[in-house]
Amino acid sequence: TTRHATPSIPSRSLQTQQPANILEEARAKLHVSSVPESLPCREQEFQDIYSFVESKIIDSTGGCMYISGVPGTGKTATVHEVIRCLQHAANMDEIPPFHFIEINGMKMTDPHQAYVQILQKLTGQKATADHAAALLEKRFSNLAHRKETTVLLVDELDLLWTRKQNVLYNLFEWPTRRHTRLVVLTIANTMDLPERIMINRVASRLGLTRMSFQPYTFRQLLQIIMSRLNKMRAFEEDALQLVSRKVAALSGDARRCLDICRRATEICEQSASDPNSTVLVGMSHMMEALNEMFSSPYVTAIKCASTQEQFFLRAVIAEFRRLGVEEATFQQVFVQHQALCRVEGLQSISVSEGLAVCQRLGACRLLLLETSCLGVLQRVRLNVSQDDILYALKAN
Amino acid sequence: MTALLKHPGYNEERLQRVAEQLPCREVQVGMLLSLMGQPQQYSYPSVFIYGHRASGKSHVMHVLMKELELPHATVSCVECVSVVLLFEQVLLSFFGCDAASLLPRSPSLSDFVRIYRQQCSQSPAKQTRYIVMEKAELLRDTDASLLPALLRLQELVEDNVTVILLSEIIWDKFRPNTGCFEPLLLHFPDYSKGELQQILSQNRHSSYSAEFYSTYINILLGVFYSVCRDLRELRHLAALNFSKFCEPLAEGKVKETDTHKLWKHIEPHLKKAMQTVYLREVSSLQWEQMQQMEEKEAGALRGLSAHTHVELPYYSKFLLIAAYLASYNPARTDKRFFLKHHGKIRKTNFLKKNEKTSNHLLGPKPFPLDRLLAIFYSVVDSRVAPTASIFSQISSLVTLQLLAQVSHDDQLDAPKYKCAVSLEFICAISRTVNFDIVKYLYDFL
């Protein structure tokens, strides 16, 4: 029997359809995977990284750089663009040629796989992790003259952390050797990662060449969308203002911003009566998309819960108020539940049904429960704030 | 019973045979049969059957599967120490040993599902297949994804398969924290006294009449029903004591109909059996041998629990006594018991509010090694050097489970112990070394 152990995306048999109307075209342009030629609002960062790598290549030395920033601030895209420009320059014989390899911590099953992947991308050789480490060690310590510089991009650096930190150590140790001609660019999310998780000898080798990508402001987000749309009239001006202000206030994540815009075009398309008419995406569509993305599913879940489940949540809050602690056992809550049922004139339920109600709420993570083996003695805590529950219960 | 016999899709003769083998379970069997539907119909994905021990859960499933010749796999979760065995048994009984050999060495759930589907596409189910899991409460201790997967196995393998879980524990204590597909719950209630009588009277002795045996069962239930409703245990007791019941008949002293005399004869005997046989103090074989021997009175033999006499070295005995005193006396009374010039202190001075209850009811308390040795030196009359042998005796008392170490195992400097022997045992030991332990116990002051 054949086993397809490696999961993969099924291959496309049909050609992708060309965008038919203006909204579909806008959607294609706003897709996260269609990275534009030049990144707007990242000119300064681009310049810094470019000059760093270029100087290392021209001087034929090695070095490390640490790039940090919250998700969706364009770190990886900027580095890729830098490499693209450098390769273009190398092709034009403006700078010496160099070799670029990229590894991603997320794509590895084990931190030590980094050695295997680096070796494979450098030489095409396949080896076990230990053997690959030895081979790389030999390659980088060899004083023989290397012809070209290697630029190594390490994405998701924090996942390469091991207890002895030998992978990180080696990654930062190799560029410091003489004649290695290795430039390591590392990307991670937190700014203080070297200080938090790395031991001193690793952090010191990483050096102080750091760069942090600030989250986009609303003006920058607006500019990104505008540059992507490239003067295409699909959105109302106010709608774009709204989405960029909302996203900038929350996270400054460009990907999130693009997703919301694409969702808004879909909503606009559905609401339009005639599919061929040219309708602009307005404020109402954008509001709807924003609500879909940002509203808490907990409140909706509580609103849609059954009567007994809502009563149970109410009993939990009542019991917490009585105890003054944010934790109670199931039997304490159940006594409250029965009293509540009696007050509301409902038939009180059995303990088994009560446990079923409680465990259903626990399964959708409205409550935090202990293991069900404990029966009526399991402790109940809330996973949502009491205000959210009261708001949701009051609404209906 | 007529309702049971009219299930479409099943042979009527077989249903008749099922009904004969399953007395007093008509309602449950009828319910199960209607859940199962006709053989080729899809049944509910999972059924959870619960009831007390010996309420006929496994028996009902076994008879139904056997007599109606349904394709089934019966798996005991006690035997399946790893999931491999479970998967193997299921595949083996559905598709033969070729399928079971396809499993890799340490198969995951997805391996099982993959092989099941592959086999199933070669030999699709003509009837509903049943997987009966006995002692299903052990499934909770295995991989957390196993129970939810079994509950919706029908959906996963896309085959006409039903998983039946048997357990003594209610479903509420099974439900995984992440939620799962809810099975149908079916309760098997306890047998009533009348039903027990009916079932027990069925396997009567061939040389005696049915009424005679049913009288015997009636007397037996009269004695034992208040303490035991377990059918298996009662059946065992009935078989064990029947020969004694028939004795006067064999000697020709009474007739079969003379119920009162028979009762007079057997009743004290059964009362005695309750003390000895039910707890398996005297093994069943010994009990039967005793009944043969006329002169030896039942219960004269010393049971298992009477053998509490243990031979210990001299200092070990004192160590054990010291441990007992340390466990059951409060530490602040040590001065009064073991120091020579302590002055007169009455018990009322010691009494605190929370010490109204006896220490013997609360169980032994932990004590440090220093206290044990201090009491030990004071109760032993001669001078004892703290040699290695004393300390090794302490640790061997721990391995004999007469003491229990409560602190962490690797602690060398201040280990804590508890005394794990009963009062009778320690009294017997202190008698052998002429030490009056009751005088030193705070509870008996």
Side-chain angles (χ1 to χ4, degrees):
Chain A
T1 56
T2 54
R3 290 186 67 187
H4 304 288
T6 315
S8 59
I9 301 169
S11 58
R12 193 196 300 275
S13 53
L14 291 171
Q15 280 248 311
T16 47
Q17 288 183 336
Q18 289 300 311
N21 56 27
I22 197 157
L23 283 177
E24 275 181 27
E25 202 179 332
R27 204 146 58 225
K29 282 191 172 170
L30 289 174
H31 198 282
V32 179
S33 65
S34 63
V35 182
E37 286 296 302
S38 71
L39 289 172
C41 317
R42 285 290 179 237
E43 290 82 9
Q44 185 57 48
E45 286 86 353
F46 174 84
Q47 200 52 51
D48 288 351
I49 300 173
Y50 188 91
S51 52
F52 175 79
V53 181
E54 192 190 27
S55 67
K56 298 292 180 203
I57 291 174
I58 289 172
D59 300 345
S60 59
T61 55
C64 293
M65 187 173 197
Y66 177 75
I67 301 165
S68 64
V70 292
T73 46
K75 303 179 291 293
T76 312
T78 309
V79 173
H80 276 147
E81 204 190 332
V82 167
I83 297 299
R84 205 167 50 239
C85 290
L86 282 169
Q87 267 163 348
H88 182 72
N91 286 341
M92 304 294 283
D93 277 339
E94 288 167 15
I95 57 167
F98 68 98
H99 189 64
F100 172 67
I101 52 179
E102 179 185 1
I103 59 169
N104 192 328
M106 197 84 93
K107 288 181 186 167
M108 284 168 212
T109 50
D110 182 83
H112 294 97
Q113 285 293 312
Y115 297 131
V116 180
Q117 291 199 8
I118 294 172
L119 185 73
Q120 198 181 10
K121 283 173 179 164
L122 269 178
T123 63
Q125 237 176 316
K126 270 191 175 177
T128 60
D130 286 343
H131 189 210
L135 286 175
L136 285 172
E137 180 71 33
K138 204 168 143 199
R139 187 186 166 91
F140 288 126
S141 59
N142 199 349
L143 288 183
H145 182 68
R146 297 249 163 268
K147 285 199 183 94
E148 55 182 29
T149 307
T150 307
V151 179
L152 172 62
L153 170 62
V154 185
D155 217 339
E156 314 282 356
L157 179 73
D158 38 352
L159 292 172
L160 294 182
W161 187 86
T162 51
R163 219 166 54 78
K164 289 174 83 178
Q165 309 200 354
N166 45 358
V167 179
L168 289 177
Y169 177 78
N170 277 334
L171 273 181
F172 301 138
E173 148 81 290
W174 291 329
T176 57
R177 296 185 185 172
R178 288 178 64 215
H179 312 301
T180 314
R181 305 187 68 179
L182 177 69
V183 182
V184 180
L185 302 172
T186 55
I187 299 180
N189 284 342
T190 42
M191 198 158 73
D192 57 345
L193 191 77
E195 281 72 37
R196 273 198 302 129
I197 68 166
M198 293 179 197
I199 49 179
N200 284 337
R201 64 194 168 104
V202 177
S204 68
R205 277 174 177 77
L206 172 59
L208 293 171
T209 321
R210 308 224 180 136
M211 171 177 287
S212 80
F213 278 57
Q214 296 304 318
Y216 290 111
T217 62
F218 94 92
R219 263 179 241 289
Q220 288 171 325
L221 284 175
L222 198 60
Q223 198 185 337
I224 290 169
I225 300 171
M226 293 299 253
S227 77
R228 285 217 176 199
L229 287 175
N230 198 9
K231 299 209 179 76
M232 191 167 43
R233 284 286 294 163
F235 287 86
E236 280 176 19
E237 198 72 25
D238 292 344
L240 292 182
Q241 280 266 353
L242 176 73
V243 67
S244 48
R245 275 182 192 273
K246 277 266 189 195
V247 173
L250 217 70
S251 62
D253 187 339
R255 290 182 292 207
R256 174 63 70 91
C257 193
L258 294 174
D259 285 340
I260 294 170
C261 288
R262 292 178 60 236
R263 176 69 193 136
T265 59
E266 283 171 5
I267 291 169
C268 174
E269 211 166 47
Q270 279 168 6
S271 61
S273 50
D274 182 15
N276 292 326
S277 66
T278 51
V279 191
L280 290 185
V281 180
M283 283 293 268
S284 58
H285 306 130
M286 197 57 88
M287 279 304 286
E288 203 175 317
L290 279 169
N291 277 337
E292 268 180 28
M293 287 276 191
F294 288 127
S295 68
S296 149
Y298 286 123
V299 174
T300 326
I302 296 169
K303 274 185 188 169
C304 300
S306 71
T307 318
Q308 289 291 352
E309 283 166 354
Q310 289 181 347
F311 271 50
F312 193 84
L313 285 174
R314 228 175 259 193
V316 169
I317 292 181
E319 187 61 23
F320 285 177
R321 292 224 171 120
R322 190 181 73 83
L323 292 172
V325 194
E326 297 270 300
E327 189 177 81
T329 62
F330 170 80
Q331 50 185 1
Q332 289 172 322
V333 176
F334 192 67
V335 170
Q336 288 279 355
H337 184 95
Q338 278 180 322
L340 217 72
C341 282
R342 226 171 293 134
V343 170
E344 298 282 333
L346 278 170
Q347 183 119 41
S348 64
I349 57 175
S350 69
V351 179
S352 260
E353 288 166 315
L355 269 170
V357 164
C358 175
Q359 282 162 356
R360 213 180 91 87
L361 288 172
C364 41
R365 304 301 288 168
L366 288 167
L367 297 180
L368 297 175
L369 299 177
E370 287 180 304
T371 155
S372 57
C373 304
L374 296 171
V376 293
L377 292 177
Q378 61 180 320
R379 281 191 291 254
V380 176
R381 277 185 298 148
L382 281 177
N383 197 24
V384 217
S385 76
Q386 292 197 10
D387 297 335
D388 276 4
I389 292 177
L390 291 176
Y391 166 75
L393 291 177
K394 205 165 279 175
N396 48 341
Chain B
M1 280 214 202
T2 46
L4 177 64
L5 297 180
K6 272 191 278 173
H7 268 281
Y10 297 106
N11 194 335
E12 271 192 30
E13 266 178 55
R14 287 185 176 164
L15 285 174
Q16 183 71 48
R17 246 181 295 155
V18 168
E20 277 165 16
Q21 288 185 45
L22 301 172
C24 312
R25 279 286 170 247
E26 290 84 12
V27 181
Q28 283 76 29
V29 172
M31 183 58 141
L32 268 173
L33 277 172
S34 54
L35 280 178
M36 285 150 73
Q38 293 180 28
Q40 74 283 359
Q41 288 174 338
Y42 263 71
S43 170
Y44 202 76
S46 45
V47 183
F48 182 83
I49 298 175
Y50 64 106
H52 282 157
R53 180 163 301 167
S55 54
K57 302 180 292 293
S58 304
H59 182 61
V60 164
M61 289 319 300
H62 180 75
V63 168
L64 271 181
M65 294 295 148
K66 268 272 140 50
E67 288 297 332
L68 302 180
E69 288 179 3
L70 302 167
H72 70 281
T74 306
V75 184
S76 164
C77 297
V78 182
E79 287 171 25
C80 298
V81 286
S82 76
V83 284
V84 189
L85 298 168
L86 196 160
F87 297 156
E88 239 171 34
Q89 281 195 24
V90 171
L91 289 176
L92 195 70
S93 42
F94 285 168
F95 307 109
C97 47
D98 291 347
S101 62
L102 284 175
L103 278 171
R105 192 182 291 164
S106 54
S108 62
L109 189 66
S110 66
D111 283 327
F112 169 66
V113 170
R114 180 174 54 85
I115 292 173
Y116 191 106
R117 289 177 77 139
Q118 184 191 321
Q119 293 293 322
C120 169
S121 63
Q122 287 165 14
S123 55
K126 293 185 199 74
Q127 306 183 11
T128 312
R129 291 174 169 139
Y130 294 95
I131 302 176
V132 183
M133 317 274 304
E134 286 171 10
K135 296 242 186 276
E137 58 267 18
L138 288 159
L139 285 177
R140 298 178 300 175
D141 306 331
T142 57
D143 185 18
S145 62
L146 184 63
L147 181 61
L150 281 176
L151 288 174
R152 50 173 70 222
L153 192 68
Q154 192 177 84
E155 208 173 307
L156 285 172
V157 299
E158 293 174 343
D159 185 34
N160 190 357
V161 63
T162 292
V163 177
I164 297 173
L165 304 168
L166 309 180
S167 179
E168 292 171 24
I169 298 179
I170 53 168
W171 171 245
D172 298 320
K173 300 206 169 198
F174 274 75
R175 210 175 274 127
N177 263 357
T178 43
C180 63
F181 181 85
E182 293 282 316
L184 282 182
L185 306 184
L186 186 58
H187 181 226
F188 275 43
D190 282 349
Y191 293 114
S192 67
K193 196 171 180 179
E195 285 171 337
L196 281 176
Q197 166 108 31
Q198 189 188 335
I199 296 168
L200 284 172
S201 304
Q202 270 184 350
N203 43 4
R204 67 186 176 88
H205 211 277
S206 53
S207 49
Y208 297 98
S209 70
E211 293 86 59
F212 177 69
Y213 194 75
S214 127
T215 322
Y216 167 62
I217 294 297
N218 203 4
I219 293 171
L220 188 86
L221 281 177
V223 176
F224 287 112
Y225 185 71
S226 54
V227 292
C228 169
R229 287 155 202 213
D230 188 332
L231 179 62
R232 272 183 292 184
E233 189 68 40
L234 286 171
R235 193 173 267 165
H236 174 75
L237 285 171
L240 211 58
N241 293 310
F242 187 58
S243 60
K244 186 80 183 172
F245 185 68
C246 300
E247 238 173 38
L249 213 66
E251 288 167 6
K253 283 181 189 164
V254 287
K255 279 181 283 180
E256 273 195 18
T257 45
D258 203 350
T259 321
H260 188 69
K261 276 196 179 156
L262 284 170
W263 182 77
K264 276 267 181 181
H265 176 249
I266 195 72
E267 213 249 340
H269 190 73
L270 290 179
K271 284 268 166 66
K272 208 161 280 169
M274 189 135 71
Q275 290 164 8
T276 50
V277 177
Y278 185 49
L279 297 170
R280 300 280 194 276
E281 283 241 298
V282 181
S283 74
S284 307
L285 191 69
Q286 275 179 316
W287 182 256
E288 273 175 4
Q289 281 170 353
M290 254 156 51
Q291 285 182 339
Q292 250 97 74
M293 286 186 285
E294 293 282 326
E295 68 271 34
K296 230 182 184 181
E297 198 54 30
L301 211 71
R302 282 163 75 206
L304 278 180
S305 69
H307 290 283
T308 52
H309 181 67
V310 181
E311 276 302 330
L312 286 173
Y314 185 69
Y315 285 140
S316 283
K317 286 178 183 171
F318 272 109
L319 279 171
L320 202 58
I321 289 168
Y324 193 85
L325 291 172
S327 253
Y328 288 98
N329 279 352
R332 51 193 180 74
T333 59
D334 283 355
K335 203 175 154 195
R336 177 199 195 287
F337 283 124
F338 304 112
L339 233 57
K340 276 193 178 135
H341 309 290
H342 54 76
K344 288 255 168 178
I345 312 167
R346 275 195 233 136
K347 191 186 178 182
T348 45
N349 293 358
F350 283 111
L351 267 180
K352 281 186 177 170
K353 268 180 197 162
N354 54 355
E355 277 183 4
K356 290 277 161 60
T357 48
S358 137
N359 285 317
H360 278 83
L361 282 181
L362 298 171
K365 297 203 172 45
F367 53 86
L369 180 63
D370 307 345
R371 189 166 163 231
L372 172 69
L373 288 175
I375 296 177
F376 172 67
Y377 292 137
S378 105
V379 292
V380 178
D381 290 333
S382 55
R383 271 188 69 83
V384 193
T387 53
S389 89
I390 295 290
F391 287 101
S392 74
Q393 283 183 35
I394 294 176
S395 64
S396 59
L397 283 175
V398 172
T399 38
L400 288 171
Q401 301 193 338
L402 297 170
L403 291 187
Q405 189 164 2
V406 285
S407 64
H408 206 265
D409 218 18
D410 59 345
Q411 207 159 2
L412 273 178
D413 51 350
K416 287 195 163 185
Y417 298 96
K418 265 186 183 181
C419 188
V421 297
S422 64
L423 183 63
E424 294 96 73
F425 185 89
I426 205 74
C427 283
I429 283 198
S430 50
R431 227 173 290 128
T432 60
V433 290
N434 289 323
F435 179 80
D436 190 7
I437 191 163
V438 180
K439 238 168 64 183
Y440 286 90
L441 277 171
Y442 179 63
D443 282 341
F444 303 108
L445 217 59

